[in-house]
Amino acid sequence: MTSIKHVGVVGAGQMGRGITEVCARAGLHVTLCDVTEDRARAGLTGVADSLLKAEKHGAIGPEDRAHALAGVSVTADLSRLSGADLVIEAAVEDERAKTELFQQLDKVITNPSAVLASNTSSIPIARLAAVTGRPQAVVGLHFFNPVPAMPLVEVIPSMHTSKATEQRVRAFAAETLGKKTIVTQDRAGFVVNSLLVPYLLAAVRMVGSGTATAEDIDTAMTAGCAHPMGPLRLADLIGLDTVAAIGEALYEEYREPLYAPPPLLRRMVESGLLGRKSGQGFFNYQAA
């Protein structure tokens, strides 16, 4: 299998920054791309801040930090990814936006052995592969937040993904990045979110119905079930817009009511109360 040395990451948000960091720390050349140069540079600043924290905590040395940063370049031009061995899409969790992006990537990536991967949380990979001329080289590569700390990566081959592509990205995640990998069928939500999101939505419904406060629901699950984080703080960490988008994708696939985002979640997203990234969700993070 051809080795992966140059990784393109499309999307400089929370997930894109995390993916960029773990790839850079593994000694890879990473090109971080977003719709504007300013957004891409803001992503690089986030990576630099995270690397500095890792150094302060003793996870990496100063030379490792400097080497990782030196391996990252930023751009707003997708064609700069043309020679990448692997391109990981980490854009907004919106099917239309992702399919349009995969159409563009299919045109600009000239490396014949390149793999196009999506970090989607819920959208079936077959739908993204279908808009390209290389469905055998399209795969899901789902990281978890925060990417540098969370060990799991879900590998999701579609019905068209070649076995070579699947094996190549699984080896990349496991051997190059040091992640624990699982392979899951190409169904909305894959493994983790098919189990997790109904739980998060149930907690939102409890708040909406007045069963208990957000604080008490989270305390119940941390103190009563030994969960490291309550469902509502976890939803805030993921992003309430992302939780709603995953719920909608799951509901579209299965038509199960437990997957449908409840009214309270929809109103919060419409009001811009998205959790940690907006400073307010079920909890206030303005002073955090």
Side-chain angles (χ1 to χ4, degrees), residues 221-232:
M221 298 310 294
T222 55
C225 294
H227 287 199
M229 183 182 291
L232 297 163

Side-chain angles (χ1 to χ4, degrees), residues 2 72 105 115 130 154 159 185 202 223:
T2 306
V72 181
L105 289 171
V115 172
E154 289 180 315
M159 296 179 75
Q185 288 185 352

Side-chain angles (χ1 to χ4, degrees), residues 89 91-99 118-128 140 156 186-190 245-246 249-250 252-253:
E89 169 272 313
V92 62
E93 190 69 3
D94 177 85
E95 185 173 336
R96 178 177 294 181
K98 287 183 185 294
T99 52
S118 177
N119 185 57
T120 179
S121 304
S122 57
I123 297 167
I125 302 304
R127 297 181 189 173
L128 305 178
I156 309 104
D186 186 20
R187 43 182 283 175
F190 319 128
I246 298 170
L250 289 167
E252 179 187 346
E253 178 107 323

Side-chain angles (χ1 to χ4, degrees), residues 88-156:
I88 305 173
E89 169 272 313
V92 62
E93 190 69 3
D94 177 85
E95 185 173 336
R96 178 177 294 181
K98 287 183 185 294
T99 52
E100 289 177 356
L101 181 53
F102 268 76
Q103 286 177 318
Q104 294 172 15
L105 289 171
D106 190 44
K107 294 176 182 177
V108 302
I109 303 301
T110 58
N111 182 348
S113 64
V115 172
L116 304 184
S118 177
N119 185 57
T120 179
S121 304
S122 57
I123 297 167
I125 302 304
R127 297 181 189 173
L128 305 178
V131 302
T132 76
R134 59 183 100 189
Q136 75 285 351
V138 177
V139 68
L141 204 55
H142 182 213
F143 293 80
F144 291 82
N145 186 38
V147 179
M150 297 297 283
L152 182 68
V153 174
E154 289 180 315
V155 177
I156 309 104

Side-chain angles (χ1 to χ4, degrees), residues 12-27:
Q14 192 172 42
M15 293 303 295
R17 295 174 187 185
I19 295 167
T20 297
E21 179 180 342
V22 297
C23 290
R25 285 172 64 170

